[in-house]
Amino acid sequence: MPATVVLGAQWGDEGKGKAIDQLSPRFGWTVRFQGGNNAGHTIVIGDTTLKLHQIPSGLPTPHCNLVLGDGMVIDPWVLEKELDSWWELTGERPEESRLFISERASVILPFHRMYDSTDKVVGTTGRGIGPAYRDRIERVGIRFADIEGILGNPGAMLEISKRMTSQLLSVGMSEEITVANLEGDLRWILDRFSKSIAPTGPMLDIALRNGENVLLEGAQGAMLDIDQGTYPFVTSSVTSRANASHGAGIHPGHIDACLGVTKAYTTRVGNGPFPTEIPSSDPSGSHMATIGHEFGTTTGRPRRTGWLDIPALMEAQRVNGFTGLVLTKLDVLAGLEEIKICIGYEMDGKPMTMLPARAEDVARCMPVYETHEGFKSISEEEWLDMAQKSNDEKKWIDSLPATAASFVKRIEELSGIPVECIGIGADRRATLSRPGGIFDLEFEMANF
């Protein structure tokens, strides 16, 4: 188990944080390899709920080193808020011991947030992610490794501030980025995080060669990948397995497992096509949104809800080669009389088994469903008891209501991917684990 990747298999918000939190005791390192604070991972441990945006979800595991990797774009001000919240909760300052920021990661500055706020098409989070990645591709962005050198170069400071001001003017914003503002921001970043900035790629390579286990944590989801997703309604980075090692600064030969996280239904935040979206007039969608608390961790925006989409899942499988699935939020479907699975599409009367490349064509895809019998609602305590009994007695899906178990088996049949664990609640203990699998370990209460 050298390096394992955990990725979202849908449009994000699948429950990756919970899966990574559960797996972290098996790993010495958890690594975010792409994205920024446009991602939000929620971890529920008993009465404590953590909402992380940039810090890897291995944070609650004391022995786990935390890496913000080469492929990330990082907002230092948001990072400080996350670290301060953790310190208030636990008294720990991981930035002084086990949290490392890649010197190759890009810095999100106030300019990037201002520029991003003008988006009117894609429906971004407005966190400056896209503009920061654009600057990286244009080779004008500032990496953490570059800050000290730029501060010592007045000509570079003037050039950067003029460029940023000009770009804001081009999108109708009159704010000026002055040399003084830029210098103040960069000096604060260096003063605050200089002890954490490190050559994380070589550090991870050494750890792997020494036999340590590394967990690579994806943000967003497969269908939001800049190359393979529903472009242009996507994120600004490569969210796939191929970028997991690259964004961490290690080679792909280290990876021996890739887990795809998928809800038992589907959600999407923001604009863009969504073939299985449930109309607002259908009470099934409001049931999922209400019971599943479907609001974005980062933005608080309501998530659009829909039935599980197998063709979209198979697109994610094609790109990522999942060795196992993490099926989350099965409990949310409880109480519905019937449950649907999309097994294909029709577009202009013709059958389709995969998503078209053009977003406009995806929007024209009509889902073809098979319908399954639902299962009754049960309480949160009953779900927890079910998980405990299943894991203690190694009963696996036989612990589930019969119709729920059949639903899980059908997902395995349609996707060809084994389900490794099943989430039946937000708490880390509300999980059924395949006996002998990677999730087959004791999920404890919080240690803080």
Side-chain angles (χ1 to χ4, degrees), residues 30 45 60 74 83 136 184 198 242 254 282 297 360 414 429:
T30 51
I45 310 171
I74 299 169
L83 290 167
R136 174 182 284 189
H254 285 300
D282 188 328
T297 303
E360 297 88 342
L414 289 167
R429 298 165 299 151

Side-chain angles (χ1 to χ4, degrees), residues 72-104:
M72 287 188 69
V73 290
I74 299 169
D75 188 320
W77 291 270
V78 173
L79 180 59
E80 183 181 51
K81 288 180 181 178
E82 287 188 77
L83 290 167
D84 285 349
S85 295
W86 180 252
W87 177 76
E88 290 171 5
L89 179 66
T90 67
E92 185 201 7
R93 283 288 185 190
E95 67 269 36
E96 297 176 0
S97 57
R98 63 186 180 107
L99 182 137
F100 305 99
I101 301 170
S102 168
E103 60 188 0
R104 295 175 182 266

Side-chain angles (χ1 to χ4, degrees), residues 290-355:
T290 302
I291 303 300
H293 307 290
E294 294 297 353
F295 298 90
T297 303
T298 295
T299 63
R301 291 182 293 180
R303 297 175 185 143
R304 301 151 64 189
T305 58
W307 299 110
L308 182 63
D309 189 329
I310 294 297
L313 180 59
M314 297 315 297
E315 287 287 292
Q317 169 67 348
R318 173 179 62 82
V319 173
N320 294 291
F322 299 128
T323 56
L325 286 180
V326 177
L327 184 66
T328 65
K329 292 197 167 185
L330 180 65
D331 57 301
V332 172
L333 298 181
L336 294 174
E337 292 185 5
E338 61 179 30
I339 302 167
K340 295 181 180 180
I341 302 177
C342 173
I343 57 173
Y345 310 127
E346 286 186 357
M347 188 174 72
D348 299 334
K350 297 179 180 179
M352 303 278 291
T353 57
M354 63 182 188
L355 286 170

Side-chain angles (χ1 to χ4, degrees), residues 57-288:
S57 299
L59 178 63
T61 301
H63 73 262
C64 207
N65 293 303
L66 312 165
V67 173
L68 280 67
D70 303 354
M72 287 188 69
V73 290
I74 299 169
D75 188 320
W77 291 270
V78 173
L79 180 59
E80 183 181 51
K81 288 180 181 178
E82 287 188 77
L83 290 167
D84 285 349
S85 295
W86 180 252
W87 177 76
E88 290 171 5
L89 179 66
T90 67
E92 185 201 7
R93 283 288 185 190
E95 67 269 36
E96 297 176 0
S97 57
R98 63 186 180 107
L99 182 137
F100 305 99
I101 301 170
S102 168
E103 60 188 0
R104 295 175 182 266
S106 295
V107 181
I108 296 176
L109 293 166
F111 155 76
H112 297 109
R113 294 194 297 269
M114 285 187 273
Y115 192 96
D116 201 18
S117 69
T118 65
D119 168 67
K120 305 297 182 187
V121 177
V122 176
T124 72
T125 60
R127 301 303 198 263
I129 310 304
Y133 274 118
R134 181 204 59 191
D135 279 2
R136 174 182 284 189
I137 297 301
E138 291 184 355
R139 291 160 290 186
V140 296
I142 299 173
R143 305 174 304 165
F144 284 86
D146 304 325
I147 294 175
E148 191 169 3
I150 290 172
L151 284 170
N153 186 336
M157 293 283 289
L158 181 60
E159 181 182 345
I160 292 168
S161 61
K162 283 184 175 179
R163 173 180 58 81
M164 289 179 172
T165 299
S166 175
Q167 288 180 341
L168 289 177
L169 283 171
S170 73
V171 291
M173 299 192 75
S174 59
E175 283 82 352
E176 180 184 3
I177 306 297
T178 67
V179 170
N181 292 149
L182 181 60
E183 181 178 4
D185 288 339
L186 293 178
R187 288 200 183 281
W188 176 82
I189 294 168
L190 199 60
D191 290 345
R192 178 66 178 85
F193 294 109
S194 60
K195 293 181 180 179
S196 299
I197 300 169
T200 56
M203 290 167 63
L204 291 167
D205 181 65
I206 291 169
L208 286 160
R209 287 191 282 116
N210 286 338
E212 297 182 55
N213 295 325
V214 173
L215 187 61
L216 304 174
E217 171 179 348
Q220 289 85 43
M223 304 315 298
L224 293 176
D225 185 280
I226 186 67
D227 295 325
Q228 303 294 333
T230 49
Y231 183 90
F233 303 99
V234 291
T235 193
S236 300
S237 59
V238 176
T239 64
S240 72
R241 174 180 183 167
N243 192 38
S245 56
H246 190 75
I250 57 177
H251 68 72
H254 285 300
I255 296 173
D256 70 346
C258 181
L259 300 171
V261 186
T262 176
K263 287 175 180 171
Y265 50 101
T266 310
T267 61
R268 179 165 195 171
V269 170
N271 301 333
F274 183 7
T276 66
E277 184 171 10
I278 298 174
S280 57
S281 58
D282 188 328
S284 299
S286 58
H287 171 97
M288 295 175 196

Side-chain angles (χ1 to χ4, degrees), residues 381-394:
E381 292 74 20
E382 288 176 307
W383 283 119
L384 277 169
D385 289 344
M386 184 187 301
Q388 186 67 52
K389 183 176 181 180
S390 173
N391 295 329
D392 287 346
E393 300 177 5
K394 309 298 181 186

